[in-house]
Amino acid sequence: MIIPENDRLIIGAENIERRWSENHQHQLTENARAEILAFPIIAEEVSELLRWASRYNVPVTPRGAGTNLTGSTVPLYGGLVIDLSRMNHILCLDEDTMTLSVEPGVLLEDVQDYVSQRGYFYPPDPGEKKSTIGGNIATNAGGMRAVRYGVTRDYVRKLQVVFADGTISELGSSTIKDASGLSLKESLIGSEGTLGIITRADLKILNSPEFSRSVLLAFSDLEQAGKNVLEILSSSLNPTAIEFMNRTVVQLGEQFLNFAYPFETAGSYLLLTFDGSENVVREQLDLLKDLAEENGAIGLEVLDDPKRAARIWQVRGALCTAVEATSMQEPIDIVVPIDKICRFVRFVEDLEKRSQLQMVSFGHAGDGNIHLCIVRGQLDEDEWEEKLALVLQTLYDEAYACGGLASGEHGIGLQKRKYFLAHSDPSVIALMNGIKNAFDPAHILNKGKSYVIEQERNIYA
Amino acid sequence: MIIPENDRLIIGAENIERRWSENHQHQLTENARAEILAFPIIAEEVSELLRWASRYNVPVTPRGAGTNLTGSTVPLYGGLVIDLSRMNHILCLDEDTMTLSVEPGVLLEDVQDYVSQRGYFYPPDPGEKKSTIGGNIATNAGGMRAVRYGVTRDYVRKLQVVFADGTISELGSSTIKDASGLSLKESLIGSEGTLGIITRADLKILNSPEFSRSVLLAFSDLEQAGKNVLEILSSSLNPTAIEFMNRTVVQLGEQFLNFAYPFETAGSYLLLTFDGSENVVREQLDLLKDLAEENGAIGLEVLDDPKRAARIWQVRGALCTAVEATSMQEPIDIVVPIDKICRFVRFVEDLEKRSQLQMVSFGHAGDGNIHLCIVRGQLDEDEWEEKLALVLQTLYDEAYACGGLASGEHGIGLQKRKYFLAHSDPSVIALMNGIKNAFDPAHILNKGKSYVIEQERNIYA
C-alpha cells in the first residue's frame, strides 16, 4: 500500500495513525480536502484502512478514476480518501461460465478491449470509457446499449466487498439464478460508496455480435422522432442503441468537428445501432426502413462505410465536449418513462427560451435517459448560480412530474441530492438510511452523499 | 376485506381486535396454525392490518397461492395470515412503455395468457403456473426461459409495498434506468415476505417472439450432454431454454404419460427451445445441428409437429408429478455454476447408490439450476427422516463446494434454512438481518423464515 505524504511515501496503515489524533474532530471541511490519501493494492489493505478508520471514526471517501459528474468523490468531511486506481488488474477470464473477474480500478475501456480481443463483449457502455469498473458498479452506470442489453446491474455476478468495519465478504455468486436470502449484491450496486468498498467484481460477458450496423434517421421535428422511437420499441426490431438529437444540438457538434450530417433540413435525428448475425441485421434494417417510411421519416442512411459511421457517432459523442469547449456547463442525466421523452424535451426547449440559459439536450431515446448540458455562457458567478438554481429546480420538478428520476446513470452524489431528497418519499429515504445504518453504523463511508442523512448535520439538503 | 371466522365473515380490521387480546403471548405454535386469516382486496386494507399487527406485535404471514415448496407460508408463530389471493386483478397494460400493472394475487398463467392474447410476452416461466405474481417476486422465481430472458427480478419495474408499520410506498420507477439512491425494489425481490407485502407490481413485457421451435438432442452419456451445453452457451446460438434429463429419469415420465421418447439408447437428453423470426430460428437450428454433430450427439429431432413437441415437453413437465404419483418426495432446487452441472449430477447419482434413496434429477442445464426429487418410497417415517437429513446435508455441502447455492428459484423458506445458514458467511447473514431490522424492527413479518434470525429463539437452525 502506498500513501503519498508530500513527496514521501509511507507504507502500512499503522503509520496513518501518526497523522490522525484520537481527538481529531472531523467536520464539514470548507475546501473539501482530505487529510490522507491511500492507494491500496489488495483487499486486505482496504480492510486494514477501514478497520483503522472505524476505530478513530475517520470519514472515508472511496475513489476510482474520479470521472463522476456528481461530486460523489469529494471528501466532504475530510479524513481518508481510498483511491482504488492501483487495483487495476484483470484477474481471470472463465470461458466456461463467461465470467471476467476484475479489480475495481480497471478502466471500462480496458475491460472492453480485453474481452473484444478474445471474441467476447461487455455490453454496458457509459460514455466515459476512462471510468473504473468499481465506479460503474457504484453508480449502476448505463450507457448507449441499455435499450437492448441493460445496465451495469445486469452484468455483475459477484462482488468482493470490504465493509466499514473491515470485514471482507463475497456477495452474489457464480450461479446464474439466486433465490437464497436477500441480495446484498443488489444493494451494493448503485450505492455510490456508501455501503462498502468493492475490491473485486465478477462480470458476466457475452459473445461478440457477429455484425453491427448503424442507421441515421431524419425527421421534420421532435414529435415525429419520438413517435418513431415508441413504434421501434414496440415492434419486433431489437435495436442496441437509439440516440436522439435535435438539429440545433447537432449543429454544435458539426461546428466542433467540422463535419456535416446529411438531411440538413431535418428538425430531429435518431441514430440507431443493430447487432447480430449479418442476415438478422439486414432483415432488421429492411423492417426499419418500412417502419420509418410509414411514420414520416424524411431521410434514412444506413452507415455501411465504417469511417463515415465513426464520424457520425463522433458528433454524437462530442456534444458535451463541444459545449464545454465554449463554456462552463452543468451536466444533468434525468431519466423519464420512454413515452414522456417528447414532453420533457419540449419542456426544456421552452425553459431555454424563458430562462435565456442555453440548454443542450440529447440522449438515450430508447431508455428515456436525457443528457442535458446547461451552459453558463458569459454569466458572472452570482448570476449563474442564481439562474442555475432556479432552472434546476424547475427541471427536476418536471422530471418527477413525468414519473421520472433525478439520475438515470450518473448517480446522485452531492449535486442532485437536494432535488432527489425533495422528490423522494421520506419513508423510502428513511429505509435507505436504515440500510446504511446496518452496513455502516458509524457513517464513515462517503458521508453526506446521495440518500445518506447525517444525524449531526444535513449536507446540501 | 373479508375475514372468515368459522362460517361467518367479519368485515374490517377493528373487528380483528376482538380475537386478539393485548396480553396474547405468541410463541412457536406446535401445529403452525394461524389465529386469523384475512383476505384484503386493496392496499389500504393491507396497511390497516399491518398497523394493527404492529400495535399488538402480532406475527404476520403473507400468502399468495400457497404453491411454494419451502414452507415459506407456514404461520410458524401463529398470528395473522394475510392471503392476497383476492387481489387478483390485472390493472393496466401500457403499450407505450410495455408495462403491465397487476395486483399480487394474479396467477402467473393469467398474466401469461393476458399478454399473449395481445401479442406480448412475459418471459419468466416457473413450472408452477398457478403461483401468484406476488409470490414469484417474493422468491425471485426463475423457470425454463432464464437462460435467454433472465428471471423475475429482470421484469419488475416498480412495486407498491406495504411495510410492517402500515406505510404504503412505491419502490422502483417506470423508467428503464435508475441510478437514484439505493434500490429498495431490489431488496424486496426475493425477500420471501420478510420485508414488506407487495400490493401492486408493474412488470416489463416484451413482444411475442414471431416463431419458436424446440429440439430434442440425445447423447450417449451425461458428460457429452454437459459438454454440449457449455459449447452451446459459448456459441452464437441464443437458446431460450436448455433442459437436461438422463434416460433413467425420462423413463419415469414416459411410463407416467405412456409416451416414448426417440433415441431410446441415449444416456442423456437435452431439450432446447429457440425464439425469434423464422429465418433466425432456422439459422440457429442449422448451427445447432453442426455443433451437435461435431460434439458427438447420437440423435437430433427438430420438433416441427406442435402436438409431438407438446408431448415431449409434457414428459419434462411431468417428472415431478410422475415421482409424486408413486411416493412422497422432497423437492430441491440447488443451483451451481454452469460448468459444475455434470460434477453435481454425477455426485447425485453416486449418492443415490450409496444411500439407496431414489433421486430423480433434471433441470435447467442452461442456468445450472438442478431440480432433484428425493423419493421416500417404502421407508417408514423415522427411517425417512433420518436418511433424508443425512442425504440433504451431503447434497448441500457438495452444492456449496461447487460454488453453488441452496436455492436457484424456490427460495429458502423453512426447509432450506438450516443448510443455507450453515453455508453462508455469518457477517453476510448479519447484514441481511440488519436490513430486516430496518424494514421490520419488531419482526412481525414472516418470522423465522429464510435468513431471519429471531432474537428470542432460533427456528429450525
Side-chain angles (χ1 to χ4, degrees):
Chain A
M1 178 159 46
I2 302 163
I3 301 161
E5 187 195 39
N6 303 328
D7 51 354
R8 292 186 303 124
L9 294 177
I10 300 174
I11 313 298
E14 69 281 4
N15 292 307
I16 304 175
E17 294 187 24
R18 291 200 291 106
R19 305 200 55 193
W20 195 273
S21 96
E22 277 196 50
N23 298 318
H24 184 103
Q25 292 295 315
H26 65 264
Q27 51 194 348
L28 183 63
T29 57
E30 287 306 316
N31 52 5
R33 190 180 291 237
E35 282 86 351
I36 307 165
L37 172 63
F39 295 90
I41 52 171
I42 51 171
E44 287 68 20
E45 290 178 343
V46 176
S47 168
E48 199 182 351
L49 286 164
L50 287 175
R51 265 184 287 124
W52 173 80
S54 276
R55 189 162 4 120
Y56 297 107
N57 203 22
V58 179
V60 175
T61 308
R63 182 185 172 90
T67 58
N68 71 86
L69 296 166
T70 63
S72 56
T73 55
V74 173
L76 207 58
Y77 287 85
L80 168 66
V81 165
I82 299 185
D83 184 314
L84 298 143
S85 60
R86 298 191 194 177
M87 292 182 70
N88 60 351
H89 298 92
I90 291 176
L91 299 171
C92 172
L93 168 66
D94 181 343
E95 297 186 281
D96 279 345
T97 61
M98 309 268 282
T99 304
L100 184 76
S101 296
V102 299
E103 289 183 333
V106 176
L107 301 185
L108 172 62
E109 64 184 10
D110 293 335
V111 166
Q112 288 180 336
D113 289 351
Y114 183 91
V115 297
S116 81
Q117 283 161 17
R118 288 157 180 82
Y120 297 107
F121 177 46
Y122 177 69
D125 193 31
E128 180 56 84
K129 311 296 183 236
K130 292 193 186 300
S131 57
T132 64
I133 286 294
N136 285 192
I137 296 168
T139 54
N140 190 22
M144 313 245 189
R145 295 195 281 240
V147 53
R148 173 160 178 171
Y149 292 105
V151 295
T152 302
R153 186 184 294 284
D154 303 306
Y155 293 86
V156 179
R157 290 202 201 283
K158 200 168 158 181
L159 295 175
Q160 185 189 60
V161 175
V162 185
F163 291 114
D165 65 358
T167 308
I168 303 174
S169 292
E170 306 274 333
L171 308 180
S173 85
S174 306
T175 61
I176 292 175
K177 287 176 173 169
D178 180 355
S180 303
L182 300 184
S183 180
L184 302 187
K185 177 191 78 176
E186 300 293 346
S187 295
L188 259 288
I189 298 169
S191 65
E192 300 188 52
T194 62
L195 299 185
I197 296 183
I198 297 161
T199 47
R200 202 189 63 233
D202 290 2
L203 305 171
K204 169 182 165 181
I205 56 173
L206 305 181
N207 285 300
S208 289
E210 277 170 36
F211 186 81
S212 185
R213 205 46 107 230
S214 291
V215 186
L216 186 70
L217 274 175
F219 298 91
S220 55
D221 60 28
L222 176 69
E223 274 69 22
Q224 282 287 354
K227 190 165 166 284
N228 271 267
V229 170
L230 295 181
E231 296 248 358
I232 290 164
L233 290 173
S234 64
S235 73
S236 64
L237 291 165
N238 190 7
T240 296
I242 315 181
E243 297 294 303
F244 81 94
M245 295 162 281
N246 274 354
R247 177 71 205 152
T248 47
V249 173
V250 167
Q251 280 167 331
L252 289 175
E254 288 180 338
Q255 284 155 18
F256 186 68
L257 291 176
N258 195 24
F259 172 82
Y261 265 35
F263 321 120
E264 69 277 9
T265 61
S268 204
Y269 294 96
L270 295 179
L271 182 52
L272 298 97
T273 302
F274 294 87
D275 286 342
S277 72
E278 181 162 357
N279 286 349
V280 174
V281 171
R282 293 286 176 208
E283 205 175 84
Q284 300 257 298
L285 293 178
D286 289 342
L287 283 170
L288 177 71
K289 277 178 203 167
D290 295 346
L291 193 144
E293 226 164 77
E294 275 170 38
N295 285 292
I298 61 170
L300 179 150
E301 183 181 337
V302 177
L303 304 172
D304 278 317
D305 172 11
K307 275 188 195 157
R308 187 166 164 81
R311 288 294 273 170
I312 296 273
W313 272 105
Q314 223 177 346
V315 170
R316 161 63 188 86
L319 294 179
C320 255
T321 321
V323 174
E324 273 173 352
T326 61
S327 164
M328 194 180 161
Q329 58 107 3
E330 175 83 7
I332 285 172
D333 85 311
I334 277 168
V335 63
V336 295
I338 50 169
D339 60 338
K340 300 296 188 302
I341 297 173
C342 286
R343 167 176 159 181
F344 190 79
V345 174
R346 277 285 174 247
F347 183 87
V348 171
E349 290 179 342
D350 185 52
L351 185 63
E352 189 175 17
K353 283 180 205 134
R354 284 190 286 138
S355 67
Q356 295 184 307
L357 267 181
Q358 190 191 356
M359 294 181 196
V360 180
S361 66
F362 54 93
H364 313 311
D367 58 41
N369 194 192
I370 294 151
H371 290 297
L372 181 60
C373 307
I374 305 175
V375 183
R376 174 166 166 181
Q378 303 307 315
L379 295 181
D380 68 34
E381 184 136 359
D382 286 348
E383 224 180 335
W384 164 242
E385 293 291 343
E386 190 188 327
K387 274 199 157 185
L388 182 65
L390 210 68
V391 157
L392 286 177
Q393 186 69 58
T394 314
L395 284 168
Y396 285 109
D397 286 352
E398 174 67 7
Y400 278 89
C402 288
L405 295 170
S407 173
E409 53 187 22
H410 295 170
I412 298 300
L414 280 179
Q415 221 164 355
K416 302 168 195 165
R417 185 172 151 75
K418 175 177 157 186
Y419 310 102
F420 169 66
L421 291 177
H423 286 97
S424 297
D425 175 352
S427 60
V428 167
I429 296 295
L431 283 174
M432 290 183 193
N433 278 278
I435 293 179
K436 169 73 176 174
N437 295 337
F439 280 73
D440 176 20
H443 280 223
I444 62 168
L445 282 167
N446 225 359
K447 285 173 81 78
K449 304 289 169 57
S450 185
Y451 65 90
V452 180
I453 311 279
E454 302 306 336
Q455 295 308 317
E456 66 269 46
R457 186 165 169 185
N458 283 2
I459 304 308
Y460 285 58
Chain B
M1 176 159 45
I2 304 163
I3 300 160
E5 186 196 39
N6 302 328
D7 52 353
R8 293 184 304 125
L9 293 179
I10 301 175
I11 313 296
E14 69 280 6
N15 292 309
I16 304 175
E17 295 187 23
R18 293 198 290 106
R19 304 200 55 194
W20 193 273
S21 95
E22 280 196 46
N23 299 318
H24 184 102
Q25 293 295 314
H26 65 265
Q27 52 194 347
L28 184 62
T29 57
E30 288 306 315
N31 52 3
R33 190 179 293 238
E35 281 88 351
I36 307 165
L37 173 64
F39 295 90
I41 52 172
I42 52 170
E44 287 69 20
E45 290 179 342
V46 176
S47 168
E48 199 183 350
L49 286 165
L50 286 177
R51 265 184 287 124
W52 173 81
S54 275
R55 190 165 1 123
Y56 297 106
N57 202 21
V58 179
V60 175
T61 307
R63 183 186 171 89
T67 57
N68 71 85
L69 296 165
T70 63
S72 55
T73 55
V74 173
L76 207 58
Y77 288 85
L80 168 65
V81 165
I82 299 185
D83 184 313
L84 298 144
S85 60
R86 297 190 195 180
M87 292 182 72
N88 60 352
H89 298 92
I90 291 176
L91 300 172
C92 172
L93 169 64
D94 181 344
E95 296 186 280
D96 279 346
T97 61
M98 309 270 281
T99 304
L100 184 77
S101 296
V102 299
E103 290 183 334
V106 176
L107 300 187
L108 172 63
E109 64 184 10
D110 292 335
V111 166
Q112 289 179 336
D113 288 351
Y114 183 91
V115 297
S116 81
Q117 281 160 19
R118 287 155 180 84
Y120 297 107
F121 177 47
Y122 177 68
D125 193 32
E128 180 54 84
K129 311 296 184 235
K130 293 194 186 298
S131 57
T132 64
I133 287 293
N136 285 191
I137 296 169
T139 54
N140 189 23
M144 312 244 191
R145 295 195 281 239
V147 53
R148 173 162 178 170
Y149 292 104
V151 296
T152 302
R153 184 183 295 284
D154 303 306
Y155 293 86
V156 180
R157 289 201 201 283
K158 202 169 157 180
L159 295 175
Q160 185 189 61
V161 175
V162 185
F163 291 114
D165 64 358
T167 308
I168 303 175
S169 293
E170 306 273 334
L171 308 181
S173 87
S174 305
T175 62
I176 292 175
K177 286 175 175 171
D178 181 353
S180 304
L182 299 184
S183 180
L184 302 187
K185 177 191 80 177
E186 300 292 346
S187 295
L188 259 289
I189 299 169
S191 65
E192 299 186 52
T194 62
L195 299 185
I197 296 184
I198 297 161
T199 48
R200 200 188 67 232
D202 290 2
L203 304 172
K204 170 182 165 181
I205 56 174
L206 305 181
N207 284 299
S208 289
E210 278 171 35
F211 187 82
S212 185
R213 205 47 105 231
S214 291
V215 186
L216 187 70
L217 273 176
F219 297 91
S220 54
D221 60 31
L222 176 69
E223 275 69 23
Q224 283 286 353
K227 189 166 165 283
N228 270 268
V229 170
L230 295 182
E231 296 247 356
I232 290 164
L233 290 172
S234 64
S235 73
S236 64
L237 292 165
N238 190 7
T240 295
I242 315 180
E243 297 293 303
F244 81 92
M245 295 162 279
N246 274 355
R247 178 71 206 153
T248 47
V249 174
V250 167
Q251 281 168 330
L252 289 174
E254 287 181 337
Q255 284 156 18
F256 185 67
L257 291 176
N258 195 23
F259 172 82
Y261 264 35
F263 319 121
E264 70 277 8
T265 61
S268 202
Y269 294 96
L270 294 179
L271 182 52
L272 297 97
T273 302
F274 294 87
D275 286 344
S277 71
E278 182 162 356
N279 286 348
V280 174
V281 171
R282 293 287 177 207
E283 205 175 84
Q284 300 256 297
L285 293 178
D286 288 342
L287 282 170
L288 177 71
K289 277 178 205 168
D290 294 346
L291 193 144
E293 226 162 76
E294 274 170 38
N295 287 292
I298 59 169
L300 178 150
E301 184 181 337
V302 177
L303 304 172
D304 279 315
D305 173 13
K307 275 188 195 157
R308 186 164 165 81
R311 289 293 275 169
I312 296 273
W313 272 105
Q314 224 178 343
V315 171
R316 160 65 187 86
L319 294 179
C320 253
T321 322
V323 173
E324 273 173 353
T326 60
S327 163
M328 192 179 163
Q329 57 107 1
E330 175 82 7
I332 286 172
D333 84 311
I334 278 169
V335 61
V336 295
I338 49 169
D339 60 338
K340 300 295 190 303
I341 297 173
C342 286
R343 167 177 159 179
F344 190 79
V345 175
R346 278 285 174 248
F347 183 87
V348 171
E349 290 180 343
D350 184 52
L351 185 63
E352 189 176 17
K353 283 180 205 135
R354 284 190 287 139
S355 67
Q356 295 183 306
L357 268 180
Q358 190 190 359
M359 295 181 196
V360 180
S361 66
F362 53 92
H364 314 311
D367 58 40
N369 194 192
I370 295 151
H371 291 296
L372 181 62
C373 307
I374 305 175
V375 183
R376 175 166 167 181
Q378 303 307 316
L379 294 181
D380 68 36
E381 184 135 359
D382 287 347
E383 221 180 340
W384 164 240
E385 293 291 343
E386 190 189 328
K387 274 200 160 185
L388 182 64
L390 209 66
V391 157
L392 287 177
Q393 186 69 59
T394 314
L395 284 168
Y396 285 109
D397 287 350
E398 174 67 7
Y400 279 89
C402 289
L405 295 169
S407 173
E409 55 188 20
H410 294 172
I412 299 300
L414 280 179
Q415 221 165 353
K416 301 168 196 166
R417 186 172 150 75
K418 175 177 156 187
Y419 309 102
F420 169 65
L421 292 177
H423 285 98
S424 298
D425 175 353
S427 59
V428 167
I429 296 295
L431 284 173
M432 290 184 192
N433 278 278
I435 294 178
K436 169 74 176 173
N437 295 337
F439 281 72
D440 176 19
H443 279 223
I444 62 169
L445 282 166
N446 225 359
K447 285 172 83 78
K449 304 287 170 59
S450 185
Y451 65 90
V452 180
I453 311 279
E454 303 304 337
Q455 295 307 317
E456 67 267 45
R457 188 166 169 183
N458 283 1
I459 305 306
Y460 284 59

